[in-house]
């Protein structure tokens, strides 16, 4: 009798262990910090006015955003809506975009008038507080990281304690950090061109202030929507260095905003809860002095 009971108990334990291994992890349900949000003129001036954009954030559980826009009027519009953002429970962390128009994407790194624009924006600040960073900027050719304006702005960021959101390849990370080793560089997409996880690891080891933002990152997740083993290992080994983002660079990304955040919640749910919360919220909050919960 006793033996039978033991066998049954063992069988049941075996079954529940098997079930735990097979069942998908529950999605992360805590707050999100969106570390890569654009509010460009085609969004705020037509399809996605402030109320619409904030509604999408609120329904996604996004409680803070790095906001930047081409031109900077979009960020100012959002930052000026202090009552609406307060009601939506969204903290706006404003960044200065280096682009007045699409042409600036290809020449900002050597265009002195961009520095003048940045200095003017910095002096003016926003109704949501002073600007906290520069970017997002792009370098389609990493050698342009050595452009005079790129160097000057990295050094300005270092002097003023501004973060920098940069869409660049791994070689440009080395070049940009050489200009300003104490700058807080946020690597947009953490190697969108397919930089290997091993190279990402080497750069994180080499630059203790380097952070990685994870939108559009190829190879991050697998077919089941969960992290690939290499990325899971990177996050486990560098728990304070990653953040999630939406990259609303075109209106289609606004239309899919809630889906993008749900995708992030799915893979975050596969991490230990404390690590998920850091990547979802805590790392961004710590960077900009927001409450940790
Ligand atoms: Zn972007």
């Amino acid at each position: 009798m006793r033996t039978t009971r033991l066998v049954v108990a063992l069988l049941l334990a075996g079954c529940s262990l098997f079930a735990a291994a097979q069942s998908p992890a529950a999605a992360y349900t805590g707050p999100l910090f969106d570390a890569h949000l654009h509010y460009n003129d085609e969004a705020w001036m037509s399809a996605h006015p402030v109320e619409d954009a904030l509604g999408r954030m609120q329904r996604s559980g996004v409680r803070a955003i790095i906001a930047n826009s081409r031109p900077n009027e979009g960020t100012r519009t959002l930052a000026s809506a202090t009552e609406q953002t307060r009601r939506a429970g969204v903290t706006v962390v404003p960044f200065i975009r280096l682009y007045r128009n699409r042409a600036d994407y290809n020449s900002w790194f050597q265009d002195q008038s961009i520095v003048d624009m940045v200095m003017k924006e910095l002096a003016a600040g926003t109704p949501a507080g002073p600007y906290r960073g520069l970017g997002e900027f792009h370098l389609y050719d990493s050698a342009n990281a050595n452009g005079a304006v790129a160097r000057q702005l990295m050094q300005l960021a270092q002097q003023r304690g501004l973060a920098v959101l940069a869409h660049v390849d791994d070689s440009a990370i080395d070049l940009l950090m050489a200009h300003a080793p104490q700058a807080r560089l946020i690597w947009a997409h953490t190697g969108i061109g397919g930089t290997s996880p091993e190279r990402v690891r080497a750069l994180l080891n080499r630059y203790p202030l380097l952070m990685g933002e994870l939108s559009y990152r190829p190879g991050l997740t697998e077919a089941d929507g969960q992290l690939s083993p290499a990325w899971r290992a990177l996050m486990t080994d560098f728990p304070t260095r990653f953040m999630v983002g939406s990259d609303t660079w075109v209106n289609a990304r606004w239309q899919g905003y809630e889906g993008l955040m749900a995708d992030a919640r799915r893979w975050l749910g596969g991490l230990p809860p404390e690590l998920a919360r850091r990547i979802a919220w805590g790392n961004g909050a710590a960077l900009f002095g927001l409450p940790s919960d």
Side-chain angles (χ1 to χ4, degrees), residues 21-247:
Q22 294 299 302
S23 66
Y28 167 80
T29 56
L32 291 175
F33 187 111
D34 180 348
H36 190 148
L37 183 136
H38 303 292
Y39 198 38
N40 294 333
D41 51 9
E42 65 271 20
W44 71 269
M45 292 176 88
S46 59
H48 303 291
V50 169
E51 207 59 53
D52 174 273
L54 286 174
R56 289 170 196 272
M57 294 176 216
Q58 200 172 14
R59 291 192 295 278
S60 304
V62 168
R63 299 237 317 264
I65 53 169
I66 286 181
N68 71 106
S69 65
R70 161 193 43 77
N72 286 301
E73 276 68 22
T75 301
R76 219 175 351 258
T77 298
L78 202 48
S80 301
T82 47
E83 182 52 32
Q84 283 164 289
T85 51
R86 192 195 57 76
R87 248 187 288 123
V90 174
T91 299
V92 176
V93 178
F95 272 37
I96 302 174
R97 193 105 201 245
L98 307 186
Y99 308 146
R100 299 157 296 196
N101 49 53
R102 289 198 184 273
D104 285 338
Y105 284 56
N106 297 306
S107 53
W108 68 270
F109 44 85
Q110 55 193 9
D111 181 345
Q112 201 59 40
S113 73
I114 298 292
V115 180
D116 300 340
M117 187 261 285
V118 166
M119 298 312 287
K120 224 176 273 169
E121 288 288 346
L122 272 181
T126 83
Y131 283 105
R132 306 297 305 274
L134 306 179
E136 181 196 23
F137 64 68
H138 300 74
L139 288 171
Y140 300 114
D141 177 352
S142 45
N144 290 328
N146 284 332
V149 168
R151 184 183 311 114
Q152 218 173 321
L153 290 179
M154 283 304 295
Q155 289 166 356
L156 177 75
Q158 179 174 259
Q159 283 159 18
R160 304 270 185 111
L162 299 166
V164 174
L165 181 61
H167 174 145
V168 298
D169 67 12
D170 56 315
S171 321
I173 294 290
D174 279 320
L175 297 174
L176 292 171
M177 292 307 293
H179 300 321
Q182 298 307 314
R184 180 63 87 163
L185 190 59
I186 304 169
W187 191 3
H189 321 296
T190 321
I192 194 169
T195 309
S196 71
E198 295 70 31
R199 174 73 170 137
V200 172
R201 178 179 293 275
L203 288 168
L204 289 171
N205 272 323
R206 181 159 188 194
Y207 305 112
L209 295 178
L210 179 65
M211 308 277 293
E213 179 277 319
L214 297 165
S215 62
Y216 273 117
R217 168 65 222 202
L220 182 74
T221 53
E222 301 196 316
D224 61 357
Q226 294 295 318
L227 290 171
S228 66
W231 278 92
R232 194 183 167 88
L234 273 175
M235 291 180 201
T236 304
D237 294 344
F238 298 93
T240 60
R241 310 291 286 282
F242 291 105
M243 297 184 283
V244 298
S246 60
D247 193 10

Side-chain angles (χ1 to χ4, degrees), residues 2-14:
R2 206 173 288 159
T3 315
T4 313
R5 231 183 256 160
L6 184 64
V7 168
V8 169
L10 282 173
L11 278 172
L12 284 174

